[in-house]
């Protein structure tokens, strides 16, 4: 759950982080950062899954991920960058992370039933996502009305996360 919490808070804070850290001249990078954070959200399955694969000697899935992900990243990268520019890099990485998530879920289901675990914490996660999506942006807009570069405000935003 912690992975989902930190990813959500980071996603909701991206605009403020960019403005407070590097300034308004880098606002175009907010979209790229948000795309990358979406892909990172799928790590809540892929990272622990790799440990299970190692512990249970299921090297097939580790090898499959190691083979598919870089090849897919490069293919999508060369396809999207000429079309959508630098955002194509972020989209490529996010698509690869989603594919890694799917492969990990397939591999994990061969070891145990992950849906029993998901059923236990899915409801609290959904409640958190809904509440944080409505409340946290309001807190940010209230606290950070001056969005000029500021180390102290940047520190505060990381403390809030």
């Amino acid at each position: 759950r912690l992975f989902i919490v930190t990813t959500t808070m980071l996603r909701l804070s991206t605009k403020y982080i960019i403005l407070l850290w590097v300034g308004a001249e880098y606002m175009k990078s907010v979209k790229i950062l948000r795309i990358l954070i979406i892909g990172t959200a799928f790590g809540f399955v892929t990272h622990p899954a790799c440990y299970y694969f190692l512990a249970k000697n299921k090297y097939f899935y580790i090898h499959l991920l190691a083979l598919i992900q870089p090849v897919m990243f490069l293919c999508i990268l060369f396809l999207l960058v000429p079309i959508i520019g630098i955002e194509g890099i972020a989209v490529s990485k996010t698509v690869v992370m989603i594919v890694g998530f799917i492969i990990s879920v397939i591999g994990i289901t061969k070891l145990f039933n992950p849906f029993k675990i998901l059923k236990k914490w899915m409801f609290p996660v959904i409640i958190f996502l809904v509440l944080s999506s409505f409340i946290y942006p309001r807190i940010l807009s209230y606290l950070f009305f001056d969005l000029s570069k500021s180390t102290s405000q940047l520190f505060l935003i990381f403390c809030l996360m």
Side-chain angles (χ1 to χ4, degrees):
R1 287 190 239 181
L2 186 59
F3 209 92
I4 294 171
V5 170
T6 55
T7 304
T8 301
M9 300 311 272
L10 190 58
R11 166 68 176 83
L12 293 171
S13 304
T14 51
K15 180 180 91 172
Y16 295 93
I17 291 170
I18 295 296
L19 286 171
L20 297 172
W21 182 26
V22 291
E25 55 272 10
Y26 288 92
M27 276 303 290
K28 290 182 181 179
S29 64
V30 169
K31 186 175 182 181
I32 294 168
L33 185 57
R34 285 182 175 165
I35 293 169
L36 288 169
I37 291 169
I38 289 169
T40 304
F42 291 96
F44 82 97
V45 169
T46 56
H47 294 291
C50 287
Y51 296 123
Y52 273 101
F53 298 150
L54 284 172
K56 299 292 184 176
N57 297 324
K58 300 295 182 185
Y59 299 114
F60 171 77
Y61 296 103
I62 293 173
H63 294 165
L64 186 64
L65 288 167
L67 179 69
I68 287 178
Q69 287 183 315
V71 172
M72 181 176 275
F73 175 74
L74 290 174
C75 290
I76 297 171
L77 181 75
F78 289 123
L79 177 73
L80 289 182
V81 168
I83 298 170
I84 61 175
I86 197 163
E87 292 170 0
I89 298 169
V91 171
S92 299
K93 181 66 177 162
T94 298
V95 168
V96 166
M97 294 173 97
I98 292 169
V99 169
F101 168 80
I102 293 167
I103 291 170
S104 296
V105 167
I106 291 168
I108 285 292
T109 56
K110 307 276 185 193
L111 299 173
F112 66 91
N113 186 359
F115 300 106
K116 288 181 181 180
I117 296 170
L118 286 175
K119 282 176 26 180
K120 287 183 181 178
W121 58 265
M122 196 55 118
F123 183 70
V125 167
I126 290 171
I127 296 295
F128 166 77
L129 291 172
V130 170
L131 288 177
S132 64
S133 296
F134 288 110
I135 296 170
Y136 190 66
R138 285 172 178 71
I139 292 170
L140 291 176
S141 63
Y142 177 76
L143 290 176
F144 302 104
F145 51 88
D146 176 23
L147 294 175
S148 56
K149 287 190 213 180
S150 169
T151 307
S152 60
Q153 285 192 342
L154 186 61
F155 176 73
L156 179 60
I157 202 164
F158 282 115
C159 289
L160 285 173
M161 291 193 309

